[in-house]
Amino acid sequence: MLNFLSRLKVKNNLMVIMICIVMIGLALAGWNIYYLIQINNQTKEIRTNNEQISRLEASRLLFQQSVVDLKNYLLTNDKNLRVSYSVSYAQISQDMDYLLLQAGAGETQEDLQYLQTALGAYNDAALKMFKSWQVRDIEKVAFIMPTADKNASAVLSQFDTMVFAGQVSLRAESVQIDQQVQHTIIGNIVGMLLISIFSVFAAIILN
C-alpha cells in the first residue's frame, strides 16, 4: 500500500512538472510569435519609409533641375528646356500621387498635401513666366520671378523636412527592431532555463 502511494505521489509530481514544461513551451511559442509579428510589421514600415525617402529625394533632384531648366530657358529660349521642365514636373506629380496613395490618413499625408500645393503654386508661376516670355513681356516675367523663387524655396524646404523626418523615423524603427530581437532572445533564454530546471526535478524524482 505504501509503495502504491509512493508511486502515485511520484506520478503526480511528474505530471505537474510535465504540465509546467508544456505551459512554458506554449508561453515561449506565443512569445516568439508575438515578437515575430512585431518585427515583421516594423520591417514592412522600414521598407515603406525607405521607398518614400527614395522617391522624395528623386523628386527633389527633378524639381531642382526643373527650376534650372526654367531659368536657362528664359536666358536661351531653348524649347528643349521647356520640354524638359514639363517632363520633370509630370514625373514629380506622378510621384506625389503615388506617395499620397501609399500614405493614407495622418501626418505624412498632410505633409505631402502641403508639398503638392507648394509644387502647384510654383508650377502656376512657371507657366505664367513661360507664356509671358513667349510674347516677350519681360516686365511681367520679372514681376512673377520673385514669387516663383519664393515658392521654389518652400518646395525645397518641405522636401528637406520630409526626408529628414523619414530618416529619423527609420532610425527609431531600427532601434525598435533591435529591442524586439533582444526581448525575444531573453525570453527564450529564460524559458529554456526554466525547462531545464523542471527537467532536472523530473530526473531527481524518477531516481
Side-chain angles (χ1 to χ4, degrees), residues 2-207:
L2 289 174
N3 190 31
F4 172 76
L5 291 175
S6 178
R7 287 181 182 178
L8 185 62
K9 187 176 179 181
V10 169
K11 199 172 183 180
N12 289 338
N13 287 338
L14 284 175
M15 183 66 69
V16 170
I17 290 173
M18 290 303 298
I19 290 172
C20 289
I21 290 174
V22 170
M23 293 298 292
I24 292 170
L26 290 173
L28 275 179
W31 181 274
N32 287 330
I33 290 170
Y34 171 77
Y35 277 105
L36 281 173
I37 291 172
Q38 294 299 312
I39 291 170
N40 184 56
N41 291 338
Q42 290 294 130
T43 302
K44 287 179 180 178
E45 287 184 18
I46 286 175
R47 282 200 298 267
T48 301
N49 281 346
N50 263 324
E51 182 184 11
Q52 184 184 71
I53 290 171
S54 297
R55 282 183 179 267
L56 285 170
E57 288 176 335
S59 294
R60 189 188 191 283
L61 288 174
L62 275 176
F63 179 74
Q64 281 184 306
Q65 185 58 52
S66 69
V67 172
V68 172
D69 288 341
L70 171 59
K71 293 187 175 181
N72 285 339
Y73 171 79
L74 297 175
L75 291 172
T76 64
N77 202 32
D78 185 350
K79 293 181 179 180
N80 290 326
L81 294 172
R82 171 69 187 271
V83 173
S84 177
Y85 173 88
S86 299
V87 170
S88 295
Y89 185 78
Q91 181 61 52
I92 294 169
S93 297
Q94 184 177 338
D95 286 341
M96 291 301 103
D97 290 339
Y98 176 81
L99 289 172
L100 275 168
L101 185 64
Q102 295 296 313
E107 186 177 346
T108 301
Q109 188 184 51
E110 292 175 4
D111 290 338
L112 286 166
Q113 287 172 341
Y114 175 82
L115 178 57
Q116 199 171 41
T117 300
L119 281 164
Y122 176 80
N123 187 56
D124 289 342
L127 292 178
K128 288 177 183 177
M129 282 195 288
F130 280 130
K131 290 178 181 178
S132 299
W133 184 253
Q134 286 174 350
V135 296
R136 297 297 184 269
D137 191 345
I138 297 174
E139 289 184 3
K140 192 170 183 179
V141 171
F143 176 77
I144 298 170
M145 189 169 288
T147 300
D149 289 341
K150 183 179 178 181
N151 291 335
S153 296
V155 169
L156 291 171
S157 177
Q158 183 66 6
F159 269 125
D160 292 338
T161 298
M162 292 190 69
V163 168
F164 178 75
Q167 290 170 341
V168 170
S169 178
L170 276 179
R171 285 193 289 270
E173 286 163 356
S174 297
V175 169
Q176 285 181 357
I177 286 180
D178 288 340
Q179 291 174 343
Q180 287 164 355
V181 170
Q182 289 173 8
H183 292 160
T184 304
I185 292 171
I186 291 170
N188 278 283
I189 290 173
V190 171
M192 294 305 296
L193 282 173
L194 289 173
I195 289 174
S196 299
I197 291 169
F198 280 110
S199 298
V200 170
F201 284 153
I204 291 171
I205 290 172
L206 285 173
N207 291 332

